[in-house]
Amino acid sequence: MTQDVEMKEQAAPSNSLPSFSPSTLHHLKEIASLIETGAYDREVRRILRAIRLTMALRRKLKASALSAFLNFTLIPGSEAVTRLSSYLPKEDEHAMEVDTATSAPQAPAKHSLPEIEIYCYLLVLMFLIDQKKYNEAKACSSASVARLKNINRRTVDVLAARLYFYYSLCYELTGDLAEIRGNLLSLHRIATLHHDELGQETLLNLLLRNYLHYNLYDQAEKLRSKAPRFEAHSNQQFCRYLFYLGKIRTIQLEYTDAKECLLQAARKAPIAAFGFRVQCNKWAIIVRLLLGEIPERTVFMQKGMEKALRPYFELTSAVRIGDLELFRSVAEKFSSTFSSDRTHNLIVRLRHNVIRTGLRNISISYSCISLVDVAKKLRLDSVSDAENIVAKAIRDGAVDVTLDHASRCMLSKETGDIYSMTEPQAVFNSRIAFCLNMHNEAVRALRFPPNSHKEKESAEKRRERQQQEQELAKHIAEEDDDEF
C-alpha cells in the first residue's frame, strides 16, 4: 500500500506539464544550433538540413513553443522579438507560466546572427499560414522581405528562398497577388546582383505563376526569355519551371515543346507532390489530344489519380471515337472542372481534332462516301460545312482522300505499307533521342564526394609505396640470409 501511495504521489505532478511537449522546443533549439554552425562554417548544406528538419516538425508547432523559442534565441527587447511576438496569439496565463518554468533551468543562448532571425521569421510565418491567419501572415511576410533586402549572405539564401515562396502564397490566398508583382521583380533583380541562383529560380517561378494567374502569357514569356539562365539547383523549382513553361507553350500553340515540358515535369516531380503531378497529367493529356495522339489507358489509371482524371478520360474517349455529340455532352458535363483547371479554352480547340478523327475513321472505313453521309456521321449542320472541313483536312494532310465536287463525294486512297516510308525511322529516332537525353540528365545529376579524384590518386600512390616497402624489406631479408 505504501508503494502504491508513493507511485500516485509521483504521478500527480505529470498532469501539469505543458501541452506542447518539451521535445518540440528542444528540437527547435537543436535546429537553431545547426543553423548557427552552418553560418559560422559557411556550409549551406547544414542550413538545408535545418529546413528539412523544420518541415518534419511543422505540424507540432504551437504558439507557446514559438514564444519560448523566440525568447531563447533572439535578444530580449529587440525589434525582431517585439514584431514576431505581436503576430503570435496570446496563450492563457497558466500555460505561459508552465512554459517559463520549463525553460527556466536552461541558460538562454542569445543570437544576433541574421540566419537565426530569418529562421524565426520563417517559423512564425509557417505557423500563421497553418492557422489560416492570412492577414497576420501577410504582415509578417512583408516585414521579413523588407529585412531580407538589407542582408547579403550566401547562408541566408536558402532561408530567403523559402520566405519568398510563403510571401507569394500569403498574397495568393488573400487574392492580392497582383500587389506584390513589382516587389517580386525588384527582389529578382537583387538576387541576380547578389548571384543568388536559388533565389533567382524561386523568384522567377513566382513571377511566372503571378503572370499566369492573371492569364498574362505574353508577359510571362518575355520575362522567361530575358531572365538569366543557369543550371538548376532545386529539383522542385525546376519542376515548377517546366510546368509553367509547358503552359506557356500550350497557349502559344507549340504543342510538341509543351508536351515534352509537361511530361518531364510530371516525371521529375516528387511522389509527395500529388496535386502537382495531377495538374501536369491533366495538361499533358490535353496537349497530346491537340497533337492528334491518344494517351494510353495506364495514364488515367495511375494510383490515386483515377477520380481526378475521370473527366479527361471521358473526353479522350470522345476524341478517340470522333463523336462530336458525345464530345459536346462531356464538355458540358464537366465544364466546372475544366474551368477550375483552366483548360476550358484548350478543350474548345479540341473540336477540330474530334471532327478530324471522325473523318479519318470514315476515310478508312469507306472507299467512297457522299458528303451528305459524312455530314450525318459527323453530326454537322450542313453539307457545305462537311465539304469545307474535308477540304481543309486534305490541305493540312490529316486525311489521304480526294474530294469530288461534281458528284459531292469523298474518295479514299489505298493505304500503302507504312514501313516503306520514313515514319517508323523518325519515331525510332525520337525514342532513341529520349533515352539518350534521360541518360545524360541522370549522369549530370550524379553526386560525387569532393576531391574524389585526388583521394583516388593518393590511394594508388599509397599502394605503390607499400609495394615498394615490401620489396625493399624482402630484399633486405635476403641480404641478411646471405650474410649468415
Side-chain angles (χ1 to χ4, degrees), residues 165-179:
F165 171 76
Y166 290 117
Y167 173 58
S168 177
L169 179 62
C170 292
Y171 280 83
E172 184 177 356
L173 292 173
T174 55
D176 302 326
L177 199 57
E179 295 180 6

Side-chain angles (χ1 to χ4, degrees), residues 246-369:
K247 293 178 72 174
I248 293 172
R249 291 287 182 261
T250 304
I251 299 299
Q252 294 178 338
L253 307 179
E254 299 177 7
Y255 298 134
T256 304
D257 295 340
K259 172 191 168 185
E260 184 179 352
C261 292
L262 292 169
L263 292 179
Q264 191 175 4
R267 189 177 68 248
K268 285 180 172 290
I271 299 176
F274 178 76
F276 179 80
R277 290 190 294 115
V278 168
Q279 287 296 322
C280 289
N281 279 283
K282 288 179 178 179
W283 278 76
I285 289 168
I286 296 296
V287 170
R288 293 183 66 180
L289 291 176
L290 289 169
L291 282 171
E293 302 177 3
I294 303 298
E296 300 81 6
R297 186 179 289 269
T298 55
V299 175
F300 305 96
M301 303 303 293
Q302 298 181 57
K303 185 178 180 181
M305 297 187 187
E306 297 90 347
K307 184 177 179 180
L309 298 180
R310 183 67 187 179
Y312 295 88
F313 175 73
E314 295 189 15
L315 188 71
T316 303
S317 301
V319 174
R320 182 180 62 84
I321 298 171
D323 191 341
L324 192 58
E325 191 65 28
L326 179 60
F327 172 77
R328 289 173 182 168
S329 63
V330 171
E332 292 176 0
K333 179 181 177 182
F334 299 103
S335 59
S336 59
T337 303
F338 297 144
S339 298
S340 62
D341 293 338
R342 298 195 172 204
T343 55
H344 182 71
N345 293 335
L346 301 177
I347 290 169
V348 172
R349 299 181 188 178
L350 279 175
R351 182 177 180 274
H352 301 287
N353 294 64
V354 176
I355 295 173
R356 287 188 178 183
T357 304
L359 191 60
R360 191 181 300 113
N361 294 336
I362 293 172
S363 66
I364 295 173
S365 303
Y366 298 91
S367 59
C368 180
I369 185 172

Side-chain angles (χ1 to χ4, degrees), residues 61 102 144 219 250 283 349 447:
L61 294 178
T102 307
S144 64
Q219 296 185 27
T250 304
W283 278 76
R349 299 181 188 178
R447 295 183 179 181

Side-chain angles (χ1 to χ4, degrees), residues 140-196:
C140 180
S141 62
S142 300
S144 64
V145 168
R147 179 71 179 93
L148 279 172
K149 289 183 178 179
N150 301 322
I151 301 175
N152 183 15
R153 293 165 67 99
R154 299 286 71 80
T155 48
V156 180
D157 293 345
V158 181
L159 297 168
R162 288 286 176 145
L163 274 177
Y164 295 148
F165 171 76
Y166 290 117
Y167 173 58
S168 177
L169 179 62
C170 292
Y171 280 83
E172 184 177 356
L173 292 173
T174 55
D176 302 326
L177 199 57
E179 295 180 6
I180 61 171
R181 190 179 302 154
N183 203 8
L184 290 176
L185 288 169
S186 64
L187 289 171
H188 185 269
R189 182 168 59 252
I190 293 172
T192 304
L193 294 175
H194 290 173
H195 301 284
D196 177 12

